[in-house]
């Protein structure tokens, strides 16, 4: 019984860091992107400013997306998008999410 308890505790402790750093991309998109962008025709009040993100993963490379997200004007001098402050894990998760939009 004690061995099972110790093994269970060890598993929890080993996997906890992986879950602690997990980013909820849906919440992140809703909080940071939805107001100015749309997906599947659904967007926030300023969706006409940022436009649709449908298919962005097929249109842009990872390198381009990373550069644009870090400094929009570096890739599009007339960009209206502000620099969005994200933690590294959030930034990486958002890039992966956008790359999945094909």
């Amino acid at each position: 019984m004690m061995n099972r308890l110790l093994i269970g505790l060890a598993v929890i402790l080993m996997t906890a860091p992986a879950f602690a750093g997990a980013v909820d991309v849906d919440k992140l998109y809703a909080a940071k992107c939805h107001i100015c962008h749309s997906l599947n025709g659904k967007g926030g009040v300023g969706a006409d400013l940022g436009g649709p993100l449908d298919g962005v993963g097929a249109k842009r490379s990872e390198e381009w997306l990373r550069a644009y997200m870090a400094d929009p004007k570096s890739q599009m001098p007339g960009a209206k998008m502000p620099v969005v402050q994200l933690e590294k894990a959030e930034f990486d998760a958002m890039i992966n999410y956008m790359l999945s939009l094909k």
Side-chain angles (χ1 to χ4, degrees), residues 18-85:
F19 292 113
V23 174
D24 185 336
V25 179
D26 292 330
K27 280 187 180 179
L28 184 60
Y29 175 84
K32 302 280 187 172
C33 309
H34 178 75
I35 192 166
C36 294
H37 292 282
S38 66
L39 280 175
N40 301 316
K42 296 178 183 173
V45 296
D48 57 326
L49 295 173
L53 292 177
D54 303 287
V56 72
K59 298 173 191 170
R60 303 292 186 181
S61 68
E62 179 177 351
E63 294 75 26
W64 191 94
L65 287 169
R66 286 185 177 282
Y68 185 78
M69 288 284 294
D71 178 12
K73 291 189 186 315
S74 73
Q75 299 300 302
M76 297 176 74
K80 296 174 186 153
M81 181 169 154
V83 174
V84 179
Q85 300 299 316

